[in-house]
Amino acid sequence: GNSVTQMEGPVTLSEEAFLTINCTYTATGYPSLFWYVQYPGEGLQLLLKATKADDKGSNKGFEATYRKETTSFHLEKGSVQVSDSAVYFCALKPGNQFYFGTGTSLTVIP
Amino acid sequence: GAVVSQHPSRVICKSGTSVKIECRSLDFQATTMFWYRQFPKQSLMLMATSNEGSKATYEQGVEKDKFLINHASLTLSTLTVTSAHPEDSSFYICSAPGRGSMNTEAFFGQGTRLTVV
């Protein structure tokens, strides 16, 4: 079946710290992989995506590489800011339907 | 990019009443829309797939008579929570799949925070 396992939070970091949020998946076929971000009180926004193995998605300083051999899509950022505080969802899309992880809450303190 | 607008963003209703949530695709046509529910500190759970011109497809465990979905046009899908109870309080989000070069994406509405008192 299709599922996403995401690092549990909450995660609290100081400004300018390095961020990693782990995400692994199981899937049939060759899914596209996504990271969505949800800021407080808002809906989900696409942060980045990768559609095939070894692709690297990047946006706003965040990066994630589609690793088929380890079935992973870990999210990283070299230096987080207070404005990055949000909930991050890893997701896969093998067909038309999305499968989401449970979300990781990130709080960045000054 | 494509925009999906969801309304209202927040609603408080009394137990036993019904609430309608609208999801509109603003600059594209969506033959399919998805409705999700998000419990506190949990992920989005797909409730149903809304299909323009035909019946919605519900996920296992979702009550069709309680969560009425209508996809009357190519730009509008509605979710009506009927006879709402406090346990229906949740965050509801709709999404529409992208088309063409954006067919791997989904575009999400802003979500609706429903509180049943």
Side-chain angles (χ1 to χ4, degrees), chain B residues 1-86:
Chain B
V3 177
V4 173
S5 177
Q6 188 172 339
H7 178 81
S9 58
R10 292 180 181 273
V11 59
I12 300 173
C13 71
K14 292 185 177 181
S15 188
T17 62
S18 295
V19 173
K20 180 184 284 188
I21 302 170
E22 293 187 347
C23 181
R24 295 181 184 272
S25 55
L26 295 186
D27 54 0
F28 67 106
Q29 294 181 334
T31 56
T32 301
M33 287 187 179
F34 300 98
W35 286 95
Y36 295 85
R37 180 175 181 176
Q38 185 182 24
F39 291 98
K41 301 186 186 300
Q42 296 187 30
S43 185
L44 285 76
M45 299 301 295
L46 180 65
M47 299 174 63
T49 302
S50 168
N51 303 298
E52 189 270 335
S54 64
K55 291 182 179 180
T57 305
Y58 290 82
E59 296 300 301
Q60 191 172 7
V62 177
E63 298 178 59
K64 301 178 183 182
D65 294 334
K66 180 162 192 62
F67 299 100
L68 299 180
I69 289 174
N70 186 2
H71 197 143
S73 76
L74 289 172
T75 59
L76 174 64
S77 176
T78 60
L79 168 67
T80 301
V81 182
T82 62
S83 186
H85 291 286

Side-chain angles (χ1 to χ4, degrees), chain B residues 87-104:
Chain B
E87 58 265 29
D88 298 324
S89 299
S90 191
F91 193 61
Y92 295 86
I93 305 178
C94 67
S95 77
R99 294 287 189 92
S101 61
M102 295 188 289
N103 63 357
T104 55

Side-chain angles (χ1 to χ4, degrees), chain A residues 51-73:
Chain A
T51 57
K52 61 183 187 297
D54 299 325
D55 271 2
K56 177 187 283 188
S58 61
N59 185 28
K60 300 181 181 179
F62 290 90
E63 293 183 340
T65 301
Y66 190 141
R67 301 285 188 200
K68 187 180 175 187
E69 63 276 12
T70 55
T71 60
S72 65
F73 193 56

